[in-house]
Amino acid sequence: TDACITAIDAADALNAFVTKTPEKALAMADAADARLKAGDAPAMCGVPVGIKDLFCTEGVRAQAASDILRGFKPPYESTVTRRLWDDGAVMLGKLNMDEFAMGSSNETSAYGPVASPWRRRGDNRPLTPGGSSGGSAAAVSADLCLAATGTDTGGSIRQPAAFTGIVGLKPTYGRCSRWGVVAFASSLDQAGPMTKTVRDAAIMLQAIAGEDAKDSTSAPIPVPDFEAALTGDVRGRRIGVPKEYRLDGMPAEIEALWAKGRAMLADAGAEIVDISLPHTKYALPAYYIIAPAEASSNLARYDGVRYGLRAELQPGDDMTDLYERSRAEGFGAEVKRRVMIGAYVLSAGYYDAYYLRAQKVRTLIRRDFEQAFDAGVDAILTPATPSAAFALGEVGGDDPVAMYLNDVFTVTVNLAGLPAISVPAGMNEAGLPLGLQLIGQPWGEAALLNDACALE
Ligand code: GLN
C-alpha cells in the first residue's frame, strides 16, 4: 500500500486517480494486516486496489466523471466494492473514466483525459488508455495499484485492457450486482476485474460475484471456485473462430495477432473450428440505439433538484428552466448526444422503427451465439479491438461514429449477456500491446478463465 501511494503521487501526469484516499488506505491496510496475523486471510486481504469513479463509495466522492455529480459523496457503498472491503482489499482511491462511461478513449471525462503509460516507439504523443475504464487500465498498467474495478456496457473493461496490456473480464450479465454502480444502460452494464494476470482476475471475480438482494438482475446462480478451475489444461476444448469478425481493412497486425492466438490454443491441445455469427454486422448499430435509449431514461434523474449540480437561477426562471440549465451545464457533449439519440429512438413516431427493431436484432445476435454453443463450441476467439491504442485527439472529433467503431468486437457480448475476457497476447511494431478476446458460455467464467491462461 505504501509503495502504491508513492507511485500514485509520482504519476499525477497520467490523470488516472481523480480522488486519492491514502489515509483510508493505510487504515485499511493495518486492518488487513491484523486479519492476516489472526489467520483470517481471504484472497483479497491487504491487496491495494483502485475503484472506477462510477462506483458509489460511502463518504468518498463518486462523480461518474461528470460535472452534474460534482462533489457528490454517496451515503452508501456499492455491493461490488462492499464485497472487496469485506474481503480485506484496500482502497487507494477513485479512477478516471469517460463521463457516465460513455466513450472509448477516456476523452469525455469532466476530469480531463487519462494518458496511457505506453508510447509508440519513436513517437512521444500521449496515447489513450482506452475507455471508458481508462483510469483503471492506466493505473493497473503503470503499477499504481494491483488491480482495479471496471464496468463494461459495450467494451469498457475489455478495450482499455487491450490498449494497456492488462487482463479485463466482463462477467455474465447478472454475475455481479449492479447495486450502487451509477447506471448507464441497465440491461448491458456489468462490473468486472481489471488485473495484471488471468489468475488475479479469477481471484478478484471470486470476491465480487454472487447474488445480491439489492439487485433483482443479479442471478441466484452458485459461484464456483474460479482459481481452482485454472488447471491450464485446454485439451479437447473447441474454440470457435467467427468469420464475421474478419473485417475489411483490418490492420495486418490484428490479423497476425488473431492467427497467433489460434496457434497458441491449438498448441495447447484445443481444437479450432470455423463458425458463423451471421448477425454480427448489426450489433454496433443495435447497441448504439439500445444503450442511448436506456441512458436517456437513466439520466433523467439528474435534474438539479435532488443531488449534484444545480444551476444558478436567473430572474423569472421556473422549474423547467432549473432542469434545463442544470442539465445543459452539467452534462458534457457526448452525454447530451446520447440522451438526444435515446429520446429520439424511444419517441412515439420512431419507437417501432429504431428501438423495437434494435431489440429484435439483439435477440438474433443472442441466438447466433446460442447456436454456436449448441453446436459444440466451448468458447469463441476474436481480437479484442480493431486496432492498437491511438493518440489522444486522433480519433473522433467531429465524427463520433469513428470512435464508436472501436467497439465493433466487444458490443455483441453485452447484447447477448455473455462473459468475455481480454488478454494481452502480443505487441505491434510500434511496441504497443494488443489484446485477444475469448467469449464464453453464460455462467462459464471458470472455463473461460482457464482457456484464457493458454493465451498468456
Ligand atoms: N464505448 C462504448 C460506449 O461508448 C462502451 C462504453 C462502456 O462499455 N461503458 O458506449
Side-chain angles (χ1 to χ4, degrees), residues 352-404:
D352 289 357
Y354 291 104
Y355 184 71
L356 203 62
R357 213 172 180 88
Q359 291 290 22
K360 289 179 178 170
V361 169
R362 182 176 188 174
T363 301
L364 294 173
I365 287 164
R366 197 182 53 235
R367 273 194 209 142
D368 282 354
F369 283 107
E370 278 165 10
Q371 277 160 11
F373 293 137
D374 285 349
V377 167
D378 294 308
I380 294 166
L381 179 74
T382 77
T385 58
S387 74
F390 44 89
L392 291 171
E394 195 176 22
V395 174
D398 293 339
D399 181 10
V401 175
M403 188 65 83
Y404 299 168

Side-chain angles (χ1 to χ4, degrees), residues 11-374:
D12 281 342
L14 296 183
N15 201 22
F17 274 88
V18 292
T19 303
K20 302 178 190 175
T21 55
E23 290 88 23
K24 198 177 178 80
L26 291 172
M28 290 173 94
D30 282 341
D33 206 32
R35 276 177 82 172
L36 287 162
K37 285 191 180 118
D40 165 29
M44 292 295 292
C45 197
V47 177
V49 299
I51 302 297
K52 189 178 183 180
D53 201 41
L54 203 63
F55 290 80
C56 286
T57 39
E58 192 178 344
V60 175
R61 181 170 72 148
Q63 244 186 246
S66 181
D67 278 333
I68 208 149
L69 280 172
R70 199 182 295 154
F72 176 59
K73 289 188 178 165
Y76 57 89
E77 191 76 32
S78 82
T79 297
V80 161
T81 49
R82 159 70 45 225
R83 286 183 173 167
L84 286 172
W85 316 144
D86 286 350
D87 224 28
V90 170
M91 175 157 85
L92 293 164
K94 303 297 284 290
L95 291 160
N96 206 341
M97 53 179 279
D98 280 295
E99 184 177 5
F100 283 108
M102 297 174 191
S104 304
S105 64
N106 215 116
E107 291 169 290
T108 72
S109 169
Y111 303 113
V114 174
S116 170
W118 295 82
R119 289 284 185 279
R120 289 177 185 135
R121 196 173 294 124
D123 179 348
N124 216 25
R125 277 180 300 168
L127 301 179
T128 177
S132 65
S133 310
S136 303
V140 173
S141 172
D143 292 328
L144 310 186
C145 53
L146 270 60
T149 60
T151 62
D152 191 312
T153 303
S156 280
I157 287 178
R158 291 161 287 153
Q159 183 255 24
F163 277 8
T164 56
I166 68 166
V167 173
L169 172 67
K170 186 212 97 73
T172 312
Y173 183 79
R175 180 63 97 182
C176 298
S177 170
R178 291 183 295 109
W179 197 77
V181 182
V182 174
F184 166 9
S186 306
S187 77
L188 302 163
D189 299 342
Q190 262 296 290
M194 300 181 71
T195 56
K196 291 172 191 295
T197 66
V198 172
R199 183 168 297 274
D200 286 356
I203 292 168
M204 191 166 173
L205 180 63
Q206 199 77 47
I208 63 176
E211 192 186 6
D212 175 18
K214 294 183 180 132
D215 172 9
S216 61
T217 65
S218 73
I221 302 243
V223 179
D225 186 335
F226 296 117
E227 199 185 359
L230 304 182
T231 61
D233 184 359
V234 297
R235 281 174 300 172
R237 296 275 294 167
R238 283 167 65 88
I239 309 294
V241 175
K243 65 169 188 275
E244 290 78 9
Y245 283 62
R246 194 159 283 124
L247 300 182
D248 283 345
M250 190 156 81
E253 64 194 33
I254 301 293
E255 256 308 335
L257 174 84
W258 200 5
K260 179 179 162 192
R262 295 195 291 269
M264 286 169 97
L265 284 159
D267 286 349
E271 186 190 342
I272 307 296
V273 291
D274 289 326
I275 63 166
S276 174
L277 301 169
H279 297 93
T280 299
K281 66 168 178 281
Y282 304 114
L284 202 63
Y287 171 86
Y288 276 98
I289 291 170
I290 293 168
E294 295 186 22
S296 72
S297 169
N298 274 325
L299 271 55
R301 74 191 69 178
Y302 304 104
D303 55 10
V305 175
R306 284 162 292 187
Y307 43 69
L309 183 97
R310 177 176 302 181
E312 201 76 43
L313 281 191
Q314 309 297 324
D317 274 0
D318 63 14
M319 195 67 182
T320 309
D321 297 311
L322 173 70
Y323 296 155
E324 287 180 1
R325 264 189 228 290
S326 300
R327 290 169 68 82
E329 280 174 31
F331 288 140
E334 183 60 28
V335 173
K336 285 176 183 155
R337 180 179 296 125
R338 304 282 180 113
V339 168
M340 285 191 280
I341 294 171
Y344 179 81
V345 300
L346 290 174
S347 62
Y350 299 100
Y351 183 92
D352 289 357
Y354 291 104
Y355 184 71
L356 203 62
R357 213 172 180 88
Q359 291 290 22
K360 289 179 178 170
V361 169
R362 182 176 188 174
T363 301
L364 294 173
I365 287 164
R366 197 182 53 235
R367 273 194 209 142
D368 282 354
F369 283 107
E370 278 165 10
Q371 277 160 11
F373 293 137
D374 285 349

